[in-house]
Amino acid sequence: MYNKVVMDHFKNPRNVGEMENPDAVGEVGNPLCGDMMHIYLKVKDDKIDDISFQTFGCGSAIAVSSMLTEMAKGKSLEEAKKLSNQDIADALEGLPKNKMHCSNLGADALHQAIQDYEARRDGVSLKEPEPKRKEIHEHGEGGNCYCPYCNVELDEDSPTFCTACQSDLGEEH
Amino acid sequence: MTFLNLDHISANPLAPEVKDAMIQAIQSDYHNPSSQHQAGEHAAGLLEDARQKTAQLLGARDPKEIVFTSNGTESVNHALKGVAYANKEKGKHIITSNIEHNAIHRSLKRLTSQGFKVTSLPVDEGGRVDPKEVEKAITEETILVSVMHSNNETGTIQPIEEIGKVVKDHHILFHTDAVDSVGLVPLDVQELHADLLSFASNTMYGPSGVGGLYIRQGTRLFPLLDGGTQENSKRAGAENLIGIIGHGKAAELALHNMDSRQKHLAHLKELLLSELPNYIDEYIINTNLDHSLPHLVNVSIKYIEGESVMLMLSEEDIAVATKSACATGSLRASHVLLSLGLSHADAQGTLVISFGQENTEEDVYRFLGALKNIVDTLRAMSPLYKKAYQATTQE
């Protein structure tokens, strides 16, 4: 089901556990499948000095968390902001199609932790983050519709059902 | 380490006697039972022998009431669509439950798109359908009621006798999906008041690829497959003779060994349930232990996710099933567990452990030891566990 890289990160997750006195925390949950991820950061000179995670989720969600922490560690905040879901999935040498939403969770949690850090640094209170995933599909450029969970273009003939991640989107597109 | 199968609800090994019967059949009994030469007649005799043994197992009055199919799913499709198409002049209403297998669920969805109306009944906190609710749901238009005998996720057995009685009193056709029960627990189509009953051979250590449908004499339904006159014109197409011969042996063994098999399985299940609290805490048993299959336990382990547990057990050569949404291809949590009132998070941490005849007490302890370590590892990783722990220390 999973490739060797994913299984390695699942079986031997890197940087796992809660961090004492973190400089920032990012928490995201996936409303669809119930996964939840916490990312903890220590920041030094605008660089990610240390990072750890806690995740409730499937094998893929744990592997994504582990890979994310390895990729983000040592990066400047600006570089880390550019880390995308696809980057993580690529580094894991691919995820099953219906698990691509797990990789969304990883990048979202990291970006939220960075926002939390910047808000604390600038002494402003962090706004409630906009939920990125809604229980509806999204319209892409050129009129195509995309599944919000796995970014796959939706089939015109299956109006409410994403065949990639097998989720019923609950609304016609 | 040797492979430990605790996922018998997904697949059973062939009983050695079944294997022998099938090897014998492969070597010599390959003829078409419809052929009129001697070899064909010999094949027809073997086919009818398997039918006879199946009829005995189910308490059917006439072996002709047994139709062999390719699996439980085909049987279920045949029962529902066959009755619906043949009886639509009488009415277009069908009653079922919220916890049925997808074979039922999606067949009915298909029928709904063709103008049939379906009432799907909820289950009580014990995971069972109330026969009174069935009676209330019956209308002038109702042509069929279909409720499963035992649930494939929770192992909970439904009050089919009582439901069958209610349905019969109203002169409506009654089907029960008994795919996970036949051969494992004693049942009798007369006592259940079933007009139609679906089964699969692998449940009783027969081959995959053989299933069947009991059709009470006089029941009006159309065939699913049109073609030749095989299976009393109820299921066209050359029979899977080698598989059916294996099934006949499996049915014979199931009837003969029912008591001893049940006792063995029930002993392992009791051992698992009594030892579980010595290994892990904070779990929910979703199986109705007063009414359940002898070999199956459905347990939700809090704060962790089932697929992760399943994968880690698999690394230790232990096979279990999981009903976490992430592992099944569909991202939705199990409709059966949500019907029982479980939260999404709890439903995600669900394992289905099902024993077989080859399992031993040592297997139970090996599983428990492995499970304990895995639960500890995953809870240490889980933000939900941390939150729950903080909530209790603040109280």
Side-chain angles (χ1 to χ4, degrees):
Chain A
M1 180 166 131
Y2 292 127
N3 69 41
K4 278 184 182 163
V5 184
V6 175
M7 278 310 284
D8 177 46
H9 276 267
F10 168 67
K11 285 193 288 183
N12 311 295
R14 282 63 142 174
N15 308 305
V16 61
E18 194 179 358
M19 188 184 282
E20 271 187 40
N21 304 316
D23 293 328
V25 183
E27 293 183 11
V28 294
N30 183 326
L32 189 69
C33 65
D35 285 1
M36 186 178 276
M37 190 181 294
H38 289 191
I39 290 286
Y40 306 95
L41 295 182
K42 287 248 195 238
V43 180
K44 209 174 184 177
D45 304 329
D46 276 343
K47 272 194 172 156
I48 296 177
D49 190 43
D50 198 9
I51 179 167
S52 71
F53 79 88
Q54 284 192 303
T55 291
F56 166 82
C58 61
S60 175
I62 289 169
V64 160
S65 312
S66 168
M67 179 56 90
L68 165 83
T69 60
E70 277 210 325
M71 292 173 82
K73 208 169 193 172
K75 280 203 165 58
S76 72
L77 294 181
E78 289 313 310
E79 282 170 332
K81 279 183 198 171
K82 288 185 203 135
L83 252 178
S84 74
N85 310 315
Q86 195 60 46
D87 294 337
I88 300 164
D90 289 348
L92 285 168
E93 296 180 11
L95 287 169
K97 253 188 166 183
N98 66 337
K99 300 286 186 158
M100 283 301 287
H101 67 283
C102 300
S103 67
N104 287 341
L105 202 62
D108 287 0
L110 175 67
H111 298 157
Q112 205 180 304
I114 294 172
Q115 279 180 19
D116 180 44
Y117 172 77
E118 289 175 341
R120 290 194 205 192
R121 181 193 60 194
D122 303 339
V124 296
S125 61
L126 188 60
K127 284 184 293 186
E128 264 310 296
E130 285 271 314
K132 272 208 169 178
R133 278 176 292 278
K134 297 171 194 149
E135 289 275 335
I136 54 166
H137 67 283
E138 283 163 11
H139 290 273
E141 281 171 30
N144 295 332
C145 296
Y146 291 84
C147 171
Y149 306 109
C150 64
N151 291 332
V152 163
E153 195 172 333
L154 293 182
D155 182 357
E156 289 295 326
D157 294 331
S158 61
T160 69
F161 189 73
C162 175
T163 49
C165 72
Q166 304 270 308
S167 56
D168 192 344
L169 303 173
E171 186 179 302
E172 298 211 8
H173 76 289
Chain B
M1 219 178 288
T2 53
F3 173 67
L4 170 52
N5 183 17
L6 297 179
D7 184 18
H8 290 82
I9 194 78
S10 300
N12 278 308
L14 295 180
E17 298 91 330
V18 170
K19 219 182 280 177
D20 289 346
M22 289 176 75
I23 290 168
Q24 163 80 26
I26 286 167
Q27 284 163 346
S28 55
D29 302 318
Y30 58 85
H31 275 284
N32 189 330
S34 300
S35 299
Q36 288 179 341
H37 47 63
Q38 279 195 22
E41 285 193 358
H42 175 67
L46 295 169
L47 179 67
E48 293 318 309
D49 183 52
R51 202 184 307 283
Q52 170 74 36
K53 285 168 177 161
T54 310
Q56 261 180 342
L57 178 66
L58 297 177
R61 291 202 180 102
D62 187 341
K64 286 200 179 70
E65 294 176 312
I66 308 296
V67 171
F68 290 121
T69 65
S70 59
N71 49 42
T73 292
E74 187 195 322
S75 304
V76 159
N77 270 264
H78 187 177
L80 301 186
K81 293 173 187 169
V83 166
Y85 297 150
N87 296 278
K88 63 182 175 196
E89 309 306 328
K90 284 191 203 161
K92 287 191 149 192
H93 181 235
I94 299 169
I95 298 169
T96 188
S97 85
N98 285 347
I99 59 161
E100 300 293 315
H101 189 273
N102 270 336
I104 298 274
H105 195 61
R106 292 194 177 149
S107 291
L108 291 176
K109 207 168 171 184
R110 175 86 56 201
L111 288 170
T112 308
S113 74
Q114 293 165 3
F116 289 87
K117 288 199 179 74
V118 174
T119 301
S120 188
L121 299 171
V123 291
D124 61 22
E125 62 275 17
R128 300 179 97 210
V129 176
D130 183 348
K132 287 194 201 96
E133 294 298 317
V134 176
E135 183 147 41
K136 272 192 229 161
I138 292 172
T139 71
E140 292 283 300
E141 284 272 291
T142 310
I143 51 170
L144 174 68
V145 175
S146 181
V147 178
M148 73 197 324
H149 189 273
S150 63
N151 182 269
N152 54 307
E153 292 184 33
T154 62
T156 298
I157 293 178
Q158 298 297 326
I160 294 301
E161 265 187 66
E162 291 89 327
I163 295 172
K165 176 86 174 46
V166 164
V167 177
K168 275 306 97 194
D169 288 348
H170 288 265
H171 308 289
I172 294 164
L173 292 176
F174 181 46
H175 168 251
T176 183
D177 166 6
V179 165
D180 292 305
S181 295
V182 172
L184 203 57
V185 291
L187 56 76
D188 180 302
V189 288
Q190 317 306 340
E191 286 171 14
L192 298 178
H193 309 282
D195 298 300
L196 299 138
L197 179 146
S198 296
F199 64 91
S201 189
N202 190 238
T203 305
M204 56 193 108
Y205 303 91
S208 297
V210 180
L213 180 62
Y214 162 80
I215 306 174
R216 186 178 292 279
Q217 214 162 18
T219 304
R220 191 172 148 73
L221 84 168
F222 288 165
L224 207 56
L225 302 177
D226 292 310
T229 56
Q230 291 91 348
E231 301 294 296
N232 286 312
S233 298
K234 293 193 170 81
R235 201 265 189 182
E239 302 85 350
N240 171 11
L241 184 64
I242 292 160
I244 292 170
I245 288 171
H247 162 70
K249 184 45 98 176
E252 181 189 330
L253 291 168
L255 188 61
H256 193 254
N257 302 326
M258 185 75 75
D259 284 353
S260 61
R261 283 183 178 182
Q262 277 205 100
K263 268 188 199 133
H264 175 68
L265 297 171
H267 171 68
L268 296 176
K269 180 171 161 178
E270 270 168 39
L271 183 67
L272 173 69
L273 289 167
S274 62
E275 287 286 347
L276 196 54
N278 300 328
Y279 288 80
I280 61 170
D281 60 0
E282 295 200 73
Y283 59 83
I284 304 162
I285 300 289
N286 300 310
T287 303
N288 182 331
L289 296 175
D290 294 330
H291 308 278
S292 59
L293 294 174
H295 71 322
L296 189 145
V297 175
N298 179 310
V299 55
S300 297
I301 304 171
K302 290 181 87 105
Y303 317 121
I304 58 177
E305 201 272 340
E307 188 205 85
S308 297
V309 185
M310 183 270 287
L311 285 174
M312 286 188 171
L313 284 167
S314 175
E315 286 297 308
E316 303 204 24
D317 271 335
I318 302 174
V320 299
T322 170
K323 274 299 156 191
S324 74
C326 278
T328 52
S330 147
L331 295 178
R332 294 275 182 210
S334 153
H335 65 287
V336 175
L337 297 175
L338 297 178
S339 294
L340 286 176
L342 246 61
S343 73
H344 277 263
D346 287 343
Q348 291 288 41
T350 299
L351 293 185
V352 180
I353 301 133
S354 46
F355 294 108
Q357 292 306 318
E358 82 283 9
N359 289 136
T360 63
E361 288 188 356
E362 288 89 273
D363 292 345
V364 176
Y365 287 106
R366 180 176 154 199
F367 165 72
L368 285 167
L371 182 69
K372 179 186 166 29
N373 291 337
I374 290 166
V375 169
D376 287 349
T377 304
L378 288 172
R379 280 189 177 162
M381 215 183 278
S382 167
L384 296 179
Y385 191 58
K386 181 191 75 172
K387 278 193 175 169
Y389 179 74
Q390 282 171 347
T392 48
T393 50
Q394 277 165 10
E395 273 170 13

PDB file of all heavy atoms in Angstrom, chain B residues 100-125:
ATOM      1  N   GLU B 100     -26.338  -2.130   6.921  1.00  0.00           N
ATOM      2  CA  GLU B 100     -26.145  -3.218   5.963  1.00  0.00           C
ATOM      3  C   GLU B 100     -24.799  -3.093   5.245  1.00  0.00           C
ATOM      4  O   GLU B 100     -24.198  -2.015   5.175  1.00  0.00           O
ATOM      5  CB  GLU B 100     -27.275  -3.196   4.921  1.00  0.00           C
ATOM      6  CG  GLU B 100     -28.667  -3.372   5.506  1.00  0.00           C
ATOM      7  CD  GLU B 100     -28.915  -4.763   6.102  1.00  0.00           C
ATOM      8  OE1 GLU B 100     -28.546  -5.758   5.465  1.00  0.00           O
ATOM      9  OE2 GLU B 100     -29.462  -4.835   7.218  1.00  0.00           O
ATOM     10  N   HIS B 101     -24.368  -4.189   4.675  1.00  0.00           N
ATOM     11  CA  HIS B 101     -23.177  -4.220   3.827  1.00  0.00           C
ATOM     12  C   HIS B 101     -23.429  -3.384   2.581  1.00  0.00           C
ATOM     13  O   HIS B 101     -24.572  -3.208   2.160  1.00  0.00           O
ATOM     14  CB  HIS B 101     -22.907  -5.681   3.435  1.00  0.00           C
ATOM     15  CG  HIS B 101     -21.598  -5.900   2.753  1.00  0.00           C
ATOM     16  ND1 HIS B 101     -21.455  -5.773   1.389  1.00  0.00           N
ATOM     17  CD2 HIS B 101     -20.378  -6.239   3.238  1.00  0.00           C
ATOM     18  CE1 HIS B 101     -20.190  -6.029   1.069  1.00  0.00           C
ATOM     19  NE2 HIS B 101     -19.515  -6.312   2.172  1.00  0.00           N
ATOM     20  N   ASN B 102     -22.335  -2.878   1.997  1.00  0.00           N
ATOM     21  CA  ASN B 102     -22.472  -2.062   0.788  1.00  0.00           C
ATOM     22  C   ASN B 102     -23.183  -2.782  -0.353  1.00  0.00           C
ATOM     23  O   ASN B 102     -23.777  -2.137  -1.225  1.00  0.00           O
ATOM     24  CB  ASN B 102     -21.091  -1.592   0.312  1.00  0.00           C
ATOM     25  CG  ASN B 102     -20.714  -0.266   0.947  1.00  0.00           C
ATOM     26  OD1 ASN B 102     -21.594   0.493   1.365  1.00  0.00           O
ATOM     27  ND2 ASN B 102     -19.430   0.021   1.024  1.00  0.00           N
ATOM     28  N   ALA B 103     -23.106  -4.117  -0.382  1.00  0.00           N
ATOM     29  CA  ALA B 103     -23.800  -4.856  -1.450  1.00  0.00           C
ATOM     30  C   ALA B 103     -25.301  -4.578  -1.384  1.00  0.00           C
ATOM     31  O   ALA B 103     -25.973  -4.430  -2.415  1.00  0.00           O
ATOM     32  CB  ALA B 103     -23.522  -6.350  -1.323  1.00  0.00           C
ATOM     33  N   ILE B 104     -25.845  -4.498  -0.166  1.00  0.00           N
ATOM     34  CA  ILE B 104     -27.262  -4.170   0.030  1.00  0.00           C
ATOM     35  C   ILE B 104     -27.485  -2.686  -0.237  1.00  0.00           C
ATOM     36  O   ILE B 104     -28.343  -2.282  -1.035  1.00  0.00           O
ATOM     37  CB  ILE B 104     -27.690  -4.473   1.492  1.00  0.00           C
ATOM     38  CG1 ILE B 104     -27.533  -5.959   1.822  1.00  0.00           C
ATOM     39  CG2 ILE B 104     -29.083  -3.944   1.773  1.00  0.00           C
ATOM     40  CD1 ILE B 104     -28.691  -6.828   1.472  1.00  0.00           C
ATOM     41  N   HIS B 105     -26.673  -1.911   0.452  1.00  0.00           N
ATOM     42  CA  HIS B 105     -26.786  -0.462   0.439  1.00  0.00           C
ATOM     43  C   HIS B 105     -26.766   0.081  -0.998  1.00  0.00           C
ATOM     44  O   HIS B 105     -27.618   0.869  -1.399  1.00  0.00           O
ATOM     45  CB  HIS B 105     -25.573   0.035   1.213  1.00  0.00           C
ATOM     46  CG  HIS B 105     -25.633   1.432   1.645  1.00  0.00           C
ATOM     47  ND1 HIS B 105     -26.602   1.880   2.494  1.00  0.00           N
ATOM     48  CD2 HIS B 105     -24.832   2.485   1.348  1.00  0.00           C
ATOM     49  CE1 HIS B 105     -26.405   3.167   2.699  1.00  0.00           C
ATOM     50  NE2 HIS B 105     -25.338   3.556   2.024  1.00  0.00           N
ATOM     51  N   ARG B 106     -25.800  -0.374  -1.774  1.00  0.00           N
ATOM     52  CA  ARG B 106     -25.649   0.173  -3.128  1.00  0.00           C
ATOM     53  C   ARG B 106     -26.632  -0.449  -4.111  1.00  0.00           C
ATOM     54  O   ARG B 106     -27.031   0.214  -5.079  1.00  0.00           O
ATOM     55  CB  ARG B 106     -24.201   0.015  -3.598  1.00  0.00           C
ATOM     56  CG  ARG B 106     -23.294   0.910  -2.769  1.00  0.00           C
ATOM     57  CD  ARG B 106     -21.917   1.099  -3.322  1.00  0.00           C
ATOM     58  NE  ARG B 106     -21.186   2.030  -2.458  1.00  0.00           N
ATOM     59  CZ  ARG B 106     -19.882   1.994  -2.252  1.00  0.00           C
ATOM     60  NH1 ARG B 106     -19.136   1.096  -2.856  1.00  0.00           N
ATOM     61  NH2 ARG B 106     -19.306   2.873  -1.454  1.00  0.00           N
ATOM     62  N   SER B 107     -27.053  -1.696  -3.869  1.00  0.00           N
ATOM     63  CA  SER B 107     -28.109  -2.265  -4.718  1.00  0.00           C
ATOM     64  C   SER B 107     -29.380  -1.446  -4.541  1.00  0.00           C
ATOM     65  O   SER B 107     -30.092  -1.152  -5.516  1.00  0.00           O
ATOM     66  CB  SER B 107     -28.395  -3.718  -4.330  1.00  0.00           C
ATOM     67  OG  SER B 107     -27.318  -4.547  -4.666  1.00  0.00           O
ATOM     68  N   LEU B 108     -29.662  -1.082  -3.286  1.00  0.00           N
ATOM     69  CA  LEU B 108     -30.885  -0.314  -3.020  1.00  0.00           C
ATOM     70  C   LEU B 108     -30.772   1.108  -3.563  1.00  0.00           C
ATOM     71  O   LEU B 108     -31.756   1.695  -4.009  1.00  0.00           O
ATOM     72  CB  LEU B 108     -31.194  -0.315  -1.517  1.00  0.00           C
ATOM     73  CG  LEU B 108     -31.622  -1.680  -0.964  1.00  0.00           C
ATOM     74  CD1 LEU B 108     -31.822  -1.613   0.543  1.00  0.00           C
ATOM     75  CD2 LEU B 108     -32.891  -2.187  -1.643  1.00  0.00           C
ATOM     76  N   LYS B 109     -29.559   1.644  -3.529  1.00  0.00           N
ATOM     77  CA  LYS B 109     -29.339   2.971  -4.101  1.00  0.00           C
ATOM     78  C   LYS B 109     -29.658   2.935  -5.600  1.00  0.00           C
ATOM     79  O   LYS B 109     -30.292   3.833  -6.143  1.00  0.00           O
ATOM     80  CB  LYS B 109     -27.878   3.378  -3.865  1.00  0.00           C
ATOM     81  CG  LYS B 109     -27.661   4.867  -3.792  1.00  0.00           C
ATOM     82  CD  LYS B 109     -26.271   5.181  -3.281  1.00  0.00           C
ATOM     83  CE  LYS B 109     -25.975   6.668  -3.412  1.00  0.00           C
ATOM     84  NZ  LYS B 109     -24.614   6.996  -3.021  1.00  0.00           N
ATOM     85  N   ARG B 110     -29.200   1.868  -6.239  1.00  0.00           N
ATOM     86  CA  ARG B 110     -29.480   1.694  -7.676  1.00  0.00           C
ATOM     87  C   ARG B 110     -30.996   1.619  -7.892  1.00  0.00           C
ATOM     88  O   ARG B 110     -31.541   2.270  -8.775  1.00  0.00           O
ATOM     89  CB  ARG B 110     -28.807   0.410  -8.165  1.00  0.00           C
ATOM     90  CG  ARG B 110     -29.085   0.026  -9.589  1.00  0.00           C
ATOM     91  CD  ARG B 110     -28.184   0.671 -10.596  1.00  0.00           C
ATOM     92  NE  ARG B 110     -26.782   0.405 -10.307  1.00  0.00           N
ATOM     93  CZ  ARG B 110     -25.762   1.144 -10.751  1.00  0.00           C
ATOM     94  NH1 ARG B 110     -26.006   2.199 -11.499  1.00  0.00           N
ATOM     95  NH2 ARG B 110     -24.532   0.846 -10.462  1.00  0.00           N
ATOM     96  N   LEU B 111     -31.683   0.840  -7.059  1.00  0.00           N
ATOM     97  CA  LEU B 111     -33.137   0.694  -7.213  1.00  0.00           C
ATOM     98  C   LEU B 111     -33.851   2.016  -6.957  1.00  0.00           C
ATOM     99  O   LEU B 111     -34.856   2.328  -7.596  1.00  0.00           O
ATOM    100  CB  LEU B 111     -33.662  -0.400  -6.276  1.00  0.00           C
ATOM    101  CG  LEU B 111     -33.290  -1.835  -6.677  1.00  0.00           C
ATOM    102  CD1 LEU B 111     -33.647  -2.821  -5.572  1.00  0.00           C
ATOM    103  CD2 LEU B 111     -33.970  -2.226  -7.991  1.00  0.00           C
ATOM    104  N   THR B 112     -33.318   2.800  -6.013  1.00  0.00           N
ATOM    105  CA  THR B 112     -33.917   4.106  -5.735  1.00  0.00           C
ATOM    106  C   THR B 112     -33.881   4.978  -6.979  1.00  0.00           C
ATOM    107  O   THR B 112     -34.834   5.700  -7.286  1.00  0.00           O
ATOM    108  CB  THR B 112     -33.149   4.807  -4.591  1.00  0.00           C
ATOM    109  OG1 THR B 112     -33.068   3.916  -3.493  1.00  0.00           O
ATOM    110  CG2 THR B 112     -33.856   6.066  -4.134  1.00  0.00           C
ATOM    111  N   SER B 113     -32.775   4.893  -7.712  1.00  0.00           N
ATOM    112  CA  SER B 113     -32.657   5.717  -8.926  1.00  0.00           C
ATOM    113  C   SER B 113     -33.620   5.226 -10.010  1.00  0.00           C
ATOM    114  O   SER B 113     -33.823   5.889 -11.016  1.00  0.00           O
ATOM    115  CB  SER B 113     -31.217   5.710  -9.439  1.00  0.00           C
ATOM    116  OG  SER B 113     -30.926   4.456 -10.035  1.00  0.00           O
ATOM    117  N   GLN B 114     -34.205   4.035  -9.798  1.00  0.00           N
ATOM    118  CA  GLN B 114     -35.163   3.509 -10.777  1.00  0.00           C
ATOM    119  C   GLN B 114     -36.599   3.608 -10.257  1.00  0.00           C
ATOM    120  O   GLN B 114     -37.478   2.879 -10.701  1.00  0.00           O
ATOM    121  CB  GLN B 114     -34.810   2.048 -11.105  1.00  0.00           C
ATOM    122  CG  GLN B 114     -33.483   1.932 -11.838  1.00  0.00           C
ATOM    123  CD  GLN B 114     -32.931   0.529 -11.864  1.00  0.00           C
ATOM    124  OE1 GLN B 114     -33.556  -0.407 -11.380  1.00  0.00           O
ATOM    125  NE2 GLN B 114     -31.740   0.369 -12.407  1.00  0.00           N
ATOM    126  N   GLY B 115     -36.797   4.450  -9.271  1.00  0.00           N
ATOM    127  CA  GLY B 115     -38.158   4.738  -8.827  1.00  0.00           C
ATOM    128  C   GLY B 115     -38.622   3.971  -7.607  1.00  0.00           C
ATOM    129  O   GLY B 115     -39.759   4.133  -7.161  1.00  0.00           O
ATOM    130  N   PHE B 116     -37.774   3.105  -7.060  1.00  0.00           N
ATOM    131  CA  PHE B 116     -38.159   2.410  -5.823  1.00  0.00           C
ATOM    132  C   PHE B 116     -37.923   3.324  -4.622  1.00  0.00           C
ATOM    133  O   PHE B 116     -37.063   4.202  -4.652  1.00  0.00           O
ATOM    134  CB  PHE B 116     -37.365   1.110  -5.671  1.00  0.00           C
ATOM    135  CG  PHE B 116     -37.787   0.049  -6.653  1.00  0.00           C
ATOM    136  CD1 PHE B 116     -37.222  -0.013  -7.918  1.00  0.00           C
ATOM    137  CD2 PHE B 116     -38.776  -0.861  -6.315  1.00  0.00           C
ATOM    138  CE1 PHE B 116     -37.632  -0.974  -8.840  1.00  0.00           C
ATOM    139  CE2 PHE B 116     -39.188  -1.829  -7.229  1.00  0.00           C
ATOM    140  CZ  PHE B 116     -38.613  -1.876  -8.496  1.00  0.00           C
ATOM    141  N   LYS B 117     -38.690   3.085  -3.569  1.00  0.00           N
ATOM    142  CA  LYS B 117     -38.522   3.885  -2.350  1.00  0.00           C
ATOM    143  C   LYS B 117     -37.977   2.976  -1.257  1.00  0.00           C
ATOM    144  O   LYS B 117     -38.437   1.847  -1.099  1.00  0.00           O
ATOM    145  CB  LYS B 117     -39.867   4.455  -1.891  1.00  0.00           C
ATOM    146  CG  LYS B 117     -40.383   5.571  -2.770  1.00  0.00           C
ATOM    147  CD  LYS B 117     -41.447   6.399  -2.031  1.00  0.00           C
ATOM    148  CE  LYS B 117     -41.935   7.534  -2.909  1.00  0.00           C
ATOM    149  NZ  LYS B 117     -42.838   7.038  -4.000  1.00  0.00           N
ATOM    150  N   VAL B 118     -36.995   3.488  -0.509  1.00  0.00           N
ATOM    151  CA  VAL B 118     -36.352   2.670   0.514  1.00  0.00           C
ATOM    152  C   VAL B 118     -36.481   3.344   1.873  1.00  0.00           C
ATOM    153  O   VAL B 118     -36.219   4.540   2.012  1.00  0.00           O
ATOM    154  CB  VAL B 118     -34.853   2.448   0.175  1.00  0.00           C
ATOM    155  CG1 VAL B 118     -34.150   1.726   1.317  1.00  0.00           C
ATOM    156  CG2 VAL B 118     -34.717   1.657  -1.123  1.00  0.00           C
ATOM    157  N   THR B 119     -36.917   2.577   2.879  1.00  0.00           N
ATOM    158  CA  THR B 119     -36.884   3.052   4.257  1.00  0.00           C
ATOM    159  C   THR B 119     -35.750   2.317   4.953  1.00  0.00           C
ATOM    160  O   THR B 119     -35.726   1.087   4.962  1.00  0.00           O
ATOM    161  CB  THR B 119     -38.207   2.746   4.991  1.00  0.00           C
ATOM    162  OG1 THR B 119     -39.275   3.379   4.286  1.00  0.00           O
ATOM    163  CG2 THR B 119     -38.173   3.245   6.425  1.00  0.00           C
ATOM    164  N   SER B 120     -34.801   3.086   5.508  1.00  0.00           N
ATOM    165  CA  SER B 120     -33.652   2.476   6.171  1.00  0.00           C
ATOM    166  C   SER B 120     -33.758   2.733   7.672  1.00  0.00           C
ATOM    167  O   SER B 120     -33.777   3.873   8.117  1.00  0.00           O
ATOM    168  CB  SER B 120     -32.363   3.072   5.602  1.00  0.00           C
ATOM    169  OG  SER B 120     -31.255   2.364   6.095  1.00  0.00           O
ATOM    170  N   LEU B 121     -33.846   1.654   8.437  1.00  0.00           N
ATOM    171  CA  LEU B 121     -34.119   1.783   9.870  1.00  0.00           C
ATOM    172  C   LEU B 121     -32.841   1.920  10.686  1.00  0.00           C
ATOM    173  O   LEU B 121     -31.831   1.270  10.397  1.00  0.00           O
ATOM    174  CB  LEU B 121     -34.888   0.556  10.360  1.00  0.00           C
ATOM    175  CG  LEU B 121     -36.240   0.329   9.697  1.00  0.00           C
ATOM    176  CD1 LEU B 121     -36.803  -1.027  10.095  1.00  0.00           C
ATOM    177  CD2 LEU B 121     -37.212   1.447  10.063  1.00  0.00           C
ATOM    178  N   PRO B 122     -32.893   2.739  11.749  1.00  0.00           N
ATOM    179  CA  PRO B 122     -31.726   2.874  12.632  1.00  0.00           C
ATOM    180  C   PRO B 122     -31.597   1.655  13.544  1.00  0.00           C
ATOM    181  O   PRO B 122     -32.517   0.840  13.623  1.00  0.00           O
ATOM    182  CB  PRO B 122     -32.054   4.115  13.455  1.00  0.00           C
ATOM    183  CG  PRO B 122     -33.548   4.151  13.498  1.00  0.00           C
ATOM    184  CD  PRO B 122     -34.018   3.561  12.193  1.00  0.00           C
ATOM    185  N   VAL B 123     -30.451   1.556  14.223  1.00  0.00           N
ATOM    186  CA  VAL B 123     -30.275   0.499  15.217  1.00  0.00           C
ATOM    187  C   VAL B 123     -30.274   1.125  16.609  1.00  0.00           C
ATOM    188  O   VAL B 123     -30.010   2.314  16.762  1.00  0.00           O
ATOM    189  CB  VAL B 123     -28.957  -0.279  15.001  1.00  0.00           C
ATOM    190  CG1 VAL B 123     -29.033  -1.113  13.736  1.00  0.00           C
ATOM    191  CG2 VAL B 123     -27.740   0.647  14.965  1.00  0.00           C
ATOM    192  N   ASP B 124     -30.576   0.304  17.632  1.00  0.00           N
ATOM    193  CA  ASP B 124     -30.541   0.811  19.008  1.00  0.00           C
ATOM    194  C   ASP B 124     -29.096   0.853  19.496  1.00  0.00           C
ATOM    195  O   ASP B 124     -28.167   0.506  18.767  1.00  0.00           O
ATOM    196  CB  ASP B 124     -31.440  -0.035  19.920  1.00  0.00           C
ATOM    197  CG  ASP B 124     -31.007  -1.492  19.983  1.00  0.00           C
ATOM    198  OD1 ASP B 124     -29.845  -1.789  19.687  1.00  0.00           O
ATOM    199  OD2 ASP B 124     -31.853  -2.348  20.328  1.00  0.00           O
ATOM    200  N   GLU B 125     -28.907   1.251  20.762  1.00  0.00           N
ATOM    201  CA  GLU B 125     -27.531   1.399  21.263  1.00  0.00           C
ATOM    202  C   GLU B 125     -26.782   0.064  21.289  1.00  0.00           C
ATOM    203  O   GLU B 125     -25.562   0.020  21.310  1.00  0.00           O
ATOM    204  CB  GLU B 125     -27.499   2.091  22.644  1.00  0.00           C
ATOM    205  CG  GLU B 125     -28.198   1.353  23.757  1.00  0.00           C
ATOM    206  CD  GLU B 125     -29.713   1.637  23.813  1.00  0.00           C
ATOM    207  OE1 GLU B 125     -30.300   2.133  22.832  1.00  0.00           O
ATOM    208  OE2 GLU B 125     -30.293   1.356  24.867  1.00  0.00           O
TER     209      GLU B 125
END
